[in-house]
């Protein structure tokens, strides 16, 4: 019940297998590994739809151990005799010790789609997508779950039955830009890549700050120094360094957290404010925001004290904040009303919707 989406951010060239090949490419890959394919029924060797992969997996994982050992050894012997002709065969030789013992990950080397990430590129792996990191160093950010199901290419325990229950054969990884706020399609975490001095917004949960650059940086109000490769927790404050930075900030999930992190990575707004439904709530927000939230010149908390609807509420808020802005400045304003069911230009801050 606890999903575990992941983001892989390459720090050097990274080779990863993730998601299953499209049907035509999978059929071709199986043709190039006849020692493995001959153990499988003909009906699963030519998948026509992505969902047909499940039949292939079920047939492979049901084979006797002795048959898998023999097939793996025959496949490796042929590759060694003539030299590897494909990336799949090169990785088969790299994992030969495991395959020689009958590791069923041999089929995963054939069936999973290869991805090469250059330094600075990122790959989002949704929950249930089979994947394997083959080489390279990356920063892996995952949801708060220890649910990991393994089926091969590992010395750790495997569980084929659980794998078949949870694997999403139709799902695929997504390449995402790794500059500024990384658009990860999950609410479990938010990731921001800073390449210049930035301000980490305060939040209910701590941020993890990782220096993946080549020079030291100072983090937080106390100026903690992070050497390259070091990390720390920060409740908020600046990230300062000389020259080009490369700092990864992992923050609590949620769309509002992503909005705040986006502001911290780009030009500061002239005003950050909250519109509340009562004078008491506005006063509470005023204390929480402080005079210069997120580095803005103004922090304001307004009370919507006129009987307006959604559209006119926005116009009323604009009328009240516009005199405080300089030409060319923008404002970041959240409407915080009760349980957060009211629509607004930004999502409800107080209701966490």
């Amino acid at each position: 019940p606890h999903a575990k989406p992941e983001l892989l951010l390459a720090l050097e060239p990274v080779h990863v297998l993730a998601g299953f090949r499209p049907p035509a490419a999978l059929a071709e890959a199986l043709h190039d590994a006849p020692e493995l394919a001959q153990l499988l029924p003909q009906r699963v060797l030519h998948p026509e739809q992505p969902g047909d992969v499940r039949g292939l997996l079920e047939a492979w994982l049901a084979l006797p151990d002795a048959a898998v050992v023999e097939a793996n050894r025959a496949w490796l012997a042929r590759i060694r005799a003539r030299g590897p002709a494909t990336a799949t065969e090169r990785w088969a030789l790299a994992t030969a010790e495991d395959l020689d013992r009958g590791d069923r990950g041999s089929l995963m080397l054939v069936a999973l789609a290869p991805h090469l990430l250059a330094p600075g590129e990122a790959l989002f792996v949704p929950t249930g997508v089979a994947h394997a990191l083959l080489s390279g160093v990356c920063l892996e950010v995952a949801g708060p779950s220890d649910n990991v199901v393994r089926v091969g290419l590992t010395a750790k325990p495997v569980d084929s039955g659980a794998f078949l229950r949870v694997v999403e054969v139709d799902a695929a990884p997504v390449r995402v830009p790794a500059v500024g706020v990384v658009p990860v399609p999950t609410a479990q975490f938010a990731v921001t890549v800073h390449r210049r001095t930035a301000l980490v917004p305060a939040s209910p949960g701590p941020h993890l700050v990782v220096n993946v650059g080549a020079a030291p940086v100072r983090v937080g109000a106390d100026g903690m120094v992070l050497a390259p490769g070091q990390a720390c927790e920060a409740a908020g404050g600046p990230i300062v360094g000389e020259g080009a930075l490369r700092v990864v900030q992992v923050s609590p999930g949620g769309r509002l957290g992503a909005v705040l992190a986006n502001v911290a990575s780009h030009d500061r707004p002239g005003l950050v404010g909250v519109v509340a439904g009562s004078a008491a709530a506005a006063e509470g927000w005023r204390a929480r925001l402080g005079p210069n939230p997120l580095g803005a010149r103004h922090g304001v908390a307004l009370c919507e004290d006129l009987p307006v609807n959604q559209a006119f509420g926005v116009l009323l808020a604009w009328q009240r904040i516009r005199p405080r802005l300089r030409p060319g400045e923008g404002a970041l304003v959240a409407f915080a009303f009760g349980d957060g069911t009211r629509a607004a230009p930004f999502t409800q801050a107080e209701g966490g919707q």
Side-chain angles (χ1 to χ4, degrees):
H2 303 292
K4 191 170 181 274
E6 298 181 11
L7 178 74
L8 308 179
L9 177 62
L11 304 181
E12 60 181 43
V14 169
H15 290 85
V16 61
L17 299 175
F20 290 96
R21 297 176 188 261
L26 177 53
E28 182 178 351
L30 289 169
H31 180 269
D32 292 338
E35 297 84 357
L36 309 184
Q38 67 180 355
L39 297 180
L40 299 168
Q42 286 294 317
R43 60 182 173 79
V44 303
L45 292 179
H46 302 283
E48 298 180 357
Q49 302 293 332
D52 295 343
V53 175
R54 185 170 296 278
L56 177 74
L57 297 175
E58 290 172 347
W60 177 256
L61 295 176
L63 290 170
D65 292 340
V68 176
V69 170
E70 183 178 351
N72 284 357
R73 290 176 177 174
W75 186 40
L76 291 170
R78 178 173 60 83
I79 296 172
R80 289 190 181 106
R82 62 163 172 73
T86 65
T88 297
E89 292 183 350
R90 287 193 293 274
W91 293 120
L93 292 183
T95 58
E97 185 177 345
D98 291 328
L99 301 187
D100 196 58
R101 294 195 298 265
D103 192 306
R104 294 174 188 261
S106 52
L107 184 71
M108 300 302 149
L109 288 172
V110 174
L112 293 177
H115 302 268
L116 174 60
L117 301 179
E121 293 186 329
L123 188 73
F124 179 77
V125 183
T127 299
V129 173
H131 59 284
L133 180 64
L134 297 177
S135 71
V137 176
C138 67
L139 180 66
E140 182 181 80
V141 181
S145 170
D146 59 358
N147 285 352
V148 179
V149 178
R150 301 177 181 88
V151 74
L153 299 179
T154 178
K156 298 178 180 179
V158 299
D159 190 333
S160 299
F163 174 78
L164 289 174
R165 288 194 299 272
V166 303
V167 66
E168 298 287 349
V169 296
D170 297 341
V174 181
R175 284 182 179 259
V176 291
V179 178
V181 176
V182 181
V184 288
T186 179
Q188 293 201 22
F189 55 80
V191 177
T192 307
V193 178
H194 300 287
R195 296 187 181 273
R196 62 183 178 87
T197 295
L199 180 71
V200 179
S203 74
H207 304 265
L208 177 65
V209 178
V210 187
N211 183 8
V212 296
V217 297
R218 297 191 306 276
V219 178
D222 58 356
M224 176 182 289
V225 177
L226 291 185
Q230 290 186 326
C232 72
E233 286 189 353
I239 298 175
V240 181
E242 300 296 332
L245 306 186
R246 194 170 173 215
V247 177
V248 179
Q249 169 197 335
V250 182
S251 305
R255 287 176 290 177
L256 182 60
V259 169
L260 296 178
N262 193 25
V263 172
S265 298
H266 297 81
D267 293 336
R268 305 285 185 267
L271 180 148
V272 171
V274 170
V275 178
S278 68
E283 186 61 31
W285 277 106
R286 190 172 296 113
R288 292 168 68 179
L289 288 172
N292 306 105
L294 298 175
R297 289 192 307 106
H298 292 294
V300 300
L302 306 175
C303 172
E304 189 176 281
D305 51 5
L306 295 178
V308 294
N309 57 19
Q310 292 178 183
F312 286 106
V314 173
L315 293 175
L316 177 64
W318 174 242
Q319 181 186 57
R320 291 179 173 177
I321 66 175
R322 186 176 181 182
R324 304 170 188 248
L325 296 174
R326 294 173 179 171
E329 283 186 330
L332 175 63
V333 178
F335 284 69
F337 285 84
D339 61 1
T341 57
R342 173 172 169 176
F346 289 92
T347 52
Q348 304 302 328
E350 196 167 60
Q353 302 298 314

